[in-house]
Amino acid sequence: MEAQRRNRLILVPCPFQGHITPMLQLGTVLQSKGFVITVAHTKFNSPNPSYYPDFKFLEMPDGLSDLNVSSKNLVSVLSGFNINCKIPLQEALTQMVKTNGHREKIGCIIYDEYMYFSNAVANHLQIPSIILSTSSAANMLTYQAIPRFLNDGYIPLKETMLMDPVPELQPLRFKDLPFSNATDSDGLLQLISEAHKTRTSSAIIWNTAECLEQSSLAQLGQGYQIPFFPIGPMHKMVPPSCCSLLEEDYKCISWLDEQMDSSVIYVSLGSIASMDEKGLVEMAWGLANSKQPFLWVVRIDSSNGRDGIKILPESFEKTVGERGYIVNWAPQKEVLAHRAVGGFWSHCGWNSTIESVSEGVPMICQSYFGDQKVNARFLSQVWGVGIQWESDLERGEVGIVIRRLMVNEEGKVIRHRAIELKEKIEISIKQGGSSSNSLIDLINHILLS
Ligand code: UDX
């Protein structure tokens, strides 16, 4: 089905890799259905327009450029975007309507849940708006439960209850809640409550699939009056190399070409999480001890802002030789789809999670903060496609857990489940599958708004 020409959609991504990626994927999907796309982005972490020659890009002054953003100050950075970007977006869209109004209409503003100022702009201009949720439905359920936790006296969380199961949210324990280890938990709770009001938006788009989250989506749906469109995993509907803010090192693919099938453990902690120096060194020797080939992403800010590669001992490189390959940033989707990759040591960001399960790659789940803890729990306890890592990194244990996943009988069972899940996901995105049908419903929803 093709949408009418010149129906322009305004996309407002939150400027972090894990959020920009699904928004740009959504833009690519909707453009292929006939919509015209404008991406309204901050100056900070602006996407590369040359990857999207058919998109229009609109830069919003954000007042926050050149920040050293870490998980510690995300709350203030996100609040800042919501204050600083509202007027610039409103003015730019008002101008757009004046100039192009006779040739095209703005059909809808689709905004990342954390860029909620967009809803006020949409209301001001009387344009419909839709939310894109870039994390899992299970994670959103924990946010929905916050008023209940406050009411029942569970918040602030007490140290003694962290291992207890959360009522009505099994298999989560209190320690798995996204705000359980936040540095500024009050600020985070406030941000979450702002971001998770649907306001006047007409729907929520999810980068998830019913075969993964049917139960969470159904449970969540009871609390919302608006439709849900679970259309994921979107990365399976667009070309792989589309959304990276950092340069991807493709040389690792040639290295993978030389490795045996399912032999390589891929290690990456996404774009924000980092290991301290001791953890990095333990991980290095654990990889060496595992005797498995490994591809390791060590970002230039991977160890408390320092380049982790410079911290690695010289003897490590000598010990592992050709068996290990380290890059600053990998083409992750191609890596996970490579026949040589047999396991993923991950921080369990939602994008990494769905990219891995879509390829049938079993995981070692080492979550750090936020939704990663919920995802790690679902990967290991619900879908059974991962081993959860919850201790400090220690070289002996690291080597053992890698062999449990990559070599042992336990790993074979986990891999089998991962392949079954991959097959279910493939069915969802094919014509007639649940995600494919949801996409058709979403397009109709936009056209009829
Ligand atoms: C952040 C949060 O940490 C995460 O919990 C939340 O779900 C989304 O926002 P991030 O840490 O970047 O995301 O993790 P993730 O969601 O996994 O996204 C990382 C993206 O970067 C993935 O699409 C992955 O393919 C890509 N990536 C990662 C690369 O392309 N190359 C790499 O070397 C590493």
Side-chain angles (χ1 to χ4, degrees):
M1 181 202 328
E2 293 295 307
Q4 288 162 0
R5 291 297 296 159
R6 311 305 293 171
N7 194 333
R8 186 169 290 280
L9 305 179
I10 311 296
L11 307 188
V12 188
C14 176
F16 296 98
Q17 184 70 70
H19 294 252
I20 292 175
T21 299
M23 186 63 90
L24 293 177
Q25 288 165 348
L26 177 66
T28 308
V29 170
L30 291 175
Q31 186 189 38
S32 75
K33 303 294 178 190
F35 291 97
V36 186
I37 304 295
T38 290
V39 179
H41 61 88
T42 54
K43 189 163 190 292
F44 170 75
N45 267 352
S46 56
N48 183 344
S50 68
Y51 292 157
Y52 304 90
D54 298 327
F55 287 8
K56 195 169 159 185
F57 285 84
L58 187 68
E59 183 171 291
M60 303 177 287
D62 52 38
L64 296 169
S65 300
D66 304 323
L67 273 176
N68 175 13
V69 177
S70 71
S71 59
K72 295 192 182 69
N73 62 5
L74 285 181
V75 171
S76 64
V77 169
L78 290 172
S79 306
F81 291 142
N82 280 287
I83 294 165
N84 298 336
C85 298
K86 182 172 164 231
I87 299 297
L89 181 64
Q90 195 159 296
E91 288 177 354
L93 296 189
T94 305
Q95 190 56 38
M96 195 185 276
V97 171
K98 265 193 207 154
T99 320
N100 297 333
H102 58 293
R103 281 188 281 125
E104 64 184 29
K105 70 164 190 165
I106 300 181
C108 186
I109 299 181
I110 302 179
Y111 63 96
D112 185 291
E113 58 201 324
Y114 288 101
M115 301 297 265
Y116 47 84
F117 70 92
S118 312
N119 181 257
V121 175
N123 287 345
H124 180 82
L125 297 172
Q126 298 186 322
I127 300 169
S129 69
I130 295 179
I131 297 166
L132 170 65
S133 179
T134 60
S135 56
S136 65
N139 181 61
M140 181 78 103
L141 269 176
T142 69
Y143 296 162
Q144 198 187 44
I146 289 174
R148 174 165 60 88
F149 296 150
L150 286 167
N151 198 38
D152 294 350
Y154 289 130
I155 294 178
L157 298 176
K158 291 181 198 66
E159 194 69 34
T160 49
M161 61 198 241
L162 291 180
M163 293 307 288
D164 294 348
V166 182
E168 295 168 45
L169 288 182
Q170 281 83 351
L172 301 183
R173 302 155 299 180
F174 281 99
K175 69 178 283 201
D176 303 315
L177 294 174
F179 39 84
S180 71
N181 62 347
T183 334
D184 170 15
S185 63
D186 288 349
L188 182 61
L189 285 172
Q190 206 180 334
L191 178 76
I192 289 171
S193 99
E194 278 306 314
H196 297 91
K197 291 176 187 156
T198 52
R199 300 183 167 79
T200 52
S201 298
S202 69
I204 305 181
I205 303 170
W206 299 90
N207 191 18
T208 190
E210 281 189 8
C211 64
L212 288 173
E213 293 211 277
Q214 192 170 30
S215 151
S216 299
L217 284 163
Q219 209 178 328
L220 199 57
Q222 290 166 11
Y224 285 84
Q225 306 301 319
I226 55 176
F228 286 177
F229 298 108
I231 62 168
M234 291 191 281
H235 75 282
K236 295 302 282 180
M237 304 171 195
V238 300
S241 56
C242 85
C243 313
S244 198
L245 291 169
L246 298 171
E247 198 181 335
E248 294 154 313
D249 186 341
Y250 275 86
K251 290 198 289 294
C252 63
I253 300 291
S254 313
W255 178 83
L256 284 175
D257 288 342
E258 290 163 17
Q259 310 305 318
M260 309 236 296
D261 285 3
S262 301
S263 64
V264 175
I265 174 96
Y266 169 61
V267 184
S268 164
L269 303 183
S271 62
I272 302 175
S274 69
M275 288 178 186
D276 61 18
E277 195 169 326
K278 182 169 178 295
L280 192 94
V281 171
E282 291 301 311
M283 176 56 116
W285 288 117
L287 286 165
N289 290 345
S290 77
K291 308 279 184 242
Q292 287 297 123
F294 63 87
L295 170 59
W296 188 8
V297 177
V298 182
R299 294 191 324 269
I300 52 165
D301 62 344
S302 62
S303 186
N304 297 333
R306 290 180 61 203
D307 183 350
I309 294 182
K310 297 204 172 115
I311 294 167
L312 294 175
E314 270 175 39
S315 49
F316 167 67
E317 207 181 316
K318 276 196 205 125
T319 307
V320 297
E322 299 290 304
R323 183 163 61 76
Y325 202 93
I326 298 182
V327 291
N328 287 138
W329 193 248
Q332 180 164 303
K333 292 161 207 71
E334 287 95 329
V335 165
L336 288 169
H338 197 287
R339 52 146 197 90
V341 172
F344 182 12
W345 185 305
S346 171
H347 70 310
C348 306
W350 183 240
N351 295 284
S352 295
T353 298
I354 48 171
E355 288 162 16
S356 199
V357 295
S358 302
E359 300 303 340
V361 176
M363 297 167 78
I364 297 172
C365 308
Q366 187 199 7
S367 58
Y368 282 75
F369 58 84
D371 62 333
Q372 298 161 15
K373 292 177 288 167
V374 177
N375 302 336
R377 203 72 184 145
F378 270 69
L379 283 160
S380 59
Q381 307 296 314
V382 179
W383 306 318
V385 297
I387 299 175
Q388 194 164 8
W389 177 276
E390 300 199 90
S391 329
D392 288 340
L393 290 168
E394 189 281 314
R395 58 190 73 186
E397 292 299 320
V398 169
I400 289 170
V401 77
I402 290 175
R403 292 193 71 76
R404 270 174 64 196
L405 186 74
M406 302 296 290
V407 184
N408 294 2
E409 206 48 44
E410 177 188 8
K412 285 190 190 132
V413 176
I414 296 175
R415 186 175 315 280
H416 182 70
R417 280 198 291 261
I419 288 166
E420 283 179 346
L421 193 52
K422 169 195 162 134
E423 287 164 0
K424 287 185 189 157
I425 292 172
E426 279 168 355
I427 292 171
S428 353
I429 54 176
K430 280 198 183 130
Q431 196 178 1
S434 64
S435 294
S436 166
N437 287 343
S438 275
L439 179 60
I440 294 172
D441 294 343
L442 169 66
I443 293 165
N444 287 331
H445 179 88
I446 298 173
L447 292 175
L448 296 173
S449 298

